[in-house]
Amino acid sequence: TGHDSSLKGSVVISCITILGADWLVHQTRPFRDQFPGITVEFKVENGASDLLRREADIAIRMFRPEQNDLIAKRVGTMTYGYYASKQYLEKHGTPVTLDEVGDHSFILPHDEILAYTNKYMKRPMHPRGEIAFRSNSLITLASAVREGYGIGAYSCIMADQDENLVRLFDDVTVFSSDIWLVT
């Protein structure tokens, strides 16, 4: 729409794994279609690229940057809810309230991931029950929920698209994290 589609070059986008591995790939496809000469490169990791050193052109972060030379705009909030796979629920039953989770297994992130969430968690990560799986990778945690290790906090924008997953506890929000577009 009024843009030069003959542009050549590349744009490097830095983002965390849960966004970059699936959701953002889908979201940037229209840009690639409009500018076929531009290579879209994703730098997907849990750490933050240094934009001032040109490690990336654009970053999508789960925290507001503190450097004064960067431009940041909050573009949304990623909300996490409790999810379990249909396979897990068929085997262990479906808890209807948080009071019914004592006999269930939980999937938990390591503390380094929780550092990127809003300071005020809506609910404890695991009210009761055993811890079946932990990881410092959001993608790995998501895989553990899909594979039926137990109940885990999962990004709603990702989990709601997966027909194998069931959101539990009347849409309770476990925690949320602001999403920042930074350049």
Side-chain angles (χ1 to χ4, degrees), residues 147-161:
E147 289 300 316
Y149 278 82
I151 298 169
Y154 202 126
S155 166
C156 296
I157 63 171
M158 302 296 294
D160 289 344
Q161 298 175 29

Side-chain angles (χ1 to χ4, degrees), residues 82-108 125-133 148-152 168-169:
Y82 286 115
Y83 289 85
S85 70
K86 289 180 180 177
Q87 173 191 8
Y88 175 85
L89 296 175
E90 286 170 8
K91 185 175 181 179
H92 300 281
T94 303
V96 178
T97 68
L98 286 171
D99 294 329
E100 299 176 9
V101 297
D103 294 330
H104 287 273
S105 300
F106 280 85
I107 300 160
L108 297 178
M125 284 302 299
H126 67 102
R128 290 191 310 269
E130 72 171 355
I131 299 171
F133 190 95
Y149 278 82
I151 298 169
L168 303 172
F169 312 127

